[in-house]
Amino acid sequence: VVRYGLGYSFDDKAQLLFETEKDLDQNPVYKGGIEIAMLHQLYFRSGYATGYEQLSFGLGYKLKKLVSDIAFTRHYMLGFTSQISLGYEF
């Protein structure tokens, strides 16, 4: 699998992201997303991917070096699935 991505920050409050993924045996998959800082520490994220037609959205919260995220993905066969993450930035 080969992946290539680009990102652009409009300012401290918004980012636009793109990625192309190519498996040698599959058609290319194109992904795009946006992240918007709603409040000082709260982020809204949304994205879309071709291939399996996935739509995703979620929220992230950053408190000093502690980062938490919750996300929901809509898959054409699986329906809605959720994810939660908790991380620490060194």
Side-chain angles (χ1 to χ4, degrees):
V1 175
V2 176
R3 292 185 181 132
Y4 180 74
L6 294 170
Y8 181 76
S9 294
F10 292 98
D11 53 24
D12 290 343
K13 298 189 182 215
Q15 290 185 40
L16 193 57
L17 307 157
F18 294 100
E19 180 181 288
T20 300
E21 178 181 300
K22 176 67 173 112
D23 187 328
L24 296 177
D25 299 330
Q26 304 291 328
N27 291 331
V29 175
Y30 302 101
K31 302 173 185 179
I34 189 165
E35 177 184 88
I36 299 170
M38 298 174 60
L39 298 171
H40 179 65
Q41 299 163 324
L42 184 67
Y43 298 88
F44 172 77
R45 299 180 182 110
S46 181
Y48 180 77
T50 64
Y52 292 113
E53 304 295 325
Q54 292 182 337
L55 179 62
S56 61
F57 59 95
L59 293 173
Y61 185 75
K62 184 174 181 180
L63 182 61
K64 297 183 182 181
K65 294 186 178 269
L66 189 63
V67 181
S68 64
D69 293 291
I70 185 166
F72 300 92
T73 301
R74 169 73 170 89
H75 188 275
Y76 81 103
M77 286 182 66
L78 302 174
F80 280 100
T81 57
S82 59
Q83 303 173 45
I84 270 189
S85 70
L86 184 62
Y88 184 81
E89 295 178 350
F90 292 98

